[in-house]
Every structure is written in structure tokens, then in C-alpha cells.
Amino acid sequence: MSRLFSTGSVLGAGGSKMASNFRKVTHCIFDMDGLLLDTEKIYEKILRDLIKSYNTTYPWATRMKVMGTTEQRTVSIIVNDLKLSCTVDEFLKKFREKQLVDLAGAPLMRGAERLVRHLHENNIPIALATSSGTDSVEVKTKNHQELFNLFHHKVMGSSDAEVKEGKPAPDIFLVAASRFPDKPSPDQCLVFEDAPNGVTAGVSAGMQVVMVPDPNVKEDQRKHATLVLDTLEDFKPELFGLPAFK
């Protein structure tokens, strides 16, 4: 079920008018983990198991803080919040080693393939903007290489020198927009995200944001999104001036 924030109008299916304050866009930028790939449960287990080895638990409040952040920021928050008996670098090394094993073959989220292929087939420029690093992205996408090759470019926040600050800072989305050949302005870009930190980053970049949150994400952490959906299957491209599904 989608939640619309509306004033004004756009044409809906069959030419009927639908209340909306959505702006027409020309380019789309996608997060990856929890949005295109079903990796969040795997990440949670990796982190929970690593944290358990330090004789402590992984509370929900900490999980919400790290969702959507770079690997370095995730580990820094966990080590400092939970006062673990290790350095950030030590935990990061273990985290990355575990990722390369456990994240291989992550499945696609519902509606992800349909939407990405639809936009590509209709010549809508698309980019990936993930907080993951290059090695992690290669592992997670290895069973879906043909689909992920449809993106014009990929920005990997944990290993991209131009991304100075990770989400919730806007850097990654501004970098992603700047790498399209025609360099669209932020208001021409539509961001797809699942995490509150990612939504904040997209909004801070001056972009509209479609959010597909984890069901446990609270209502007040969804309110800044332009549109909130249960699944990408519910997305109607024509709301943002994009070609409708046939």
C-alpha cells in the first residue's frame, strides 16, 4: 500500500487526474541493499554474530543508526555505541571477510528486476548509488550481472574517493547525478531507497525519494520520503512523468 503526499495533479491511467505534488523526472538513482537485493537480513546476521562474539547483543536502535551507511561508518557506530573490546579496523576486517562469504548469491527484491528493465528499455538513464564497497558489490551481484550491467554507472560509497561523507550526507547521490553524461540537476533525479539514512541523503541532495522501507521502520522515519511503498511492484512510473508499465 502506497502513501502519497499530494497537491496539484498529474494524469493517471486512462487520462484521469490524480492528486500529486510529484515533479517530473528524467533520471533514476537506486540504492542496492534492501531495495534491489534482499541483503539486510544477511547483514543483520553477520553483524549480530560478530557482536555476539564480544558477549553483547545488537539492539534495534543501533541497527537503525547503521542502516544505509558506509561500511566504515557502520563499524564505527557499532564499536563505539556498544563499547566493543576491539578497534574499528579490527571489526571492519572481520566484517568484510564475512561479507565475501555470506552475501554471495543474494536474491532480488520483489519488483526490482521489472522496474530496472522497464526504465532501461524506455531509455531512462539509471545509476546505482550504494554504500557498499566494490568487492562487496561484486559478490552480491554475481548472480545478477546482466541486470546490474543495465545501469549507466555505479557509485560504491565505501570505496569511491569522491564520496567524502556517507549517507545521510547527500554526497553519494550528487556524485551519481554528476556522472550521467548530461549531468542532470538534482530536481531531475528520482532516488529509490529503503533506509531512513538514504532518504535523508536523497532529500538533502534536492531529489525526490521513493522509499520502500523495512516493515519495522517507524512512521516518523518515513515522513520525509516523497512516496512510501510496500514494494517496488507498487511503483507507478507515470506519477513522476516516466513511461508507464505496459
Side-chain angles (χ1 to χ4, degrees), residues 39-237:
T39 56
E40 290 301 334
K41 292 183 182 69
I42 303 172
Y43 267 121
E44 183 183 5
K45 185 178 186 307
I46 290 171
L47 290 168
R48 190 171 62 244
D49 289 350
L50 285 174
I51 291 165
K52 187 177 180 180
S53 70
Y54 293 95
N55 299 311
T56 190
T57 58
Y58 187 24
W60 177 255
T62 303
R63 185 187 167 197
M64 290 306 301
K65 281 186 186 180
V66 307
M67 190 179 287
T69 61
T70 62
E71 294 168 1
Q72 295 94 329
R73 181 65 181 148
T74 290
V75 170
S76 178
I77 290 170
I78 287 172
V79 170
N80 290 302
D81 269 23
L82 305 183
K83 297 178 171 55
L84 301 185
S85 58
C86 63
T87 67
V88 170
D89 285 344
E90 288 169 346
F91 194 97
L92 182 60
K93 183 175 183 292
K94 292 179 181 180
F95 180 43
R96 284 178 168 164
E97 288 172 349
K98 195 81 170 122
Q99 281 186 60
L100 297 180
V101 175
D102 292 5
L103 287 167
L108 293 167
M109 298 289 284
R110 287 168 51 199
E113 182 168 7
R114 174 185 180 233
L115 178 54
V116 169
R117 290 193 185 280
H118 171 75
L119 295 173
H120 181 263
E121 288 166 4
N122 284 277
N123 300 312
I124 303 301
I126 53 177
L128 194 71
T130 172
S131 295
S132 296
T134 303
D135 290 346
S136 177
V137 171
E138 287 178 359
V139 169
K140 286 181 279 193
T141 62
K142 73 174 185 178
N143 290 343
H144 313 287
Q145 286 184 5
E146 188 268 335
L147 181 69
F148 280 87
N149 284 340
L150 299 181
F151 289 96
H152 178 268
H153 57 276
K154 304 177 184 71
V155 181
M156 279 78 98
S158 291
S159 52
D160 194 307
E162 284 191 51
V163 181
K164 303 301 183 187
E165 296 288 338
K167 302 171 187 176
D171 302 32
I172 193 167
F173 292 122
L174 295 173
V175 169
S178 74
R179 291 183 184 170
F180 286 115
D182 54 346
K183 302 189 183 305
S185 63
D187 65 357
Q188 292 178 292
C189 298
L190 181 63
V191 167
F192 291 85
E193 264 286 353
D194 68 303
N197 282 325
V199 172
T200 299
V203 171
S204 297
M207 301 174 184
Q208 296 176 99
V209 183
V210 174
M211 185 185 198
V212 187
D214 182 292
N216 294 310
V217 172
K218 295 179 181 179
E219 188 67 21
D220 67 345
Q221 294 176 303
R222 307 174 180 211
K223 63 186 179 182
H224 299 301
T226 311
L227 172 66
V228 178
L229 304 174
D230 289 335
T231 168
L232 286 174
E233 291 178 324
D234 299 328
F235 180 65
K236 292 179 170 55

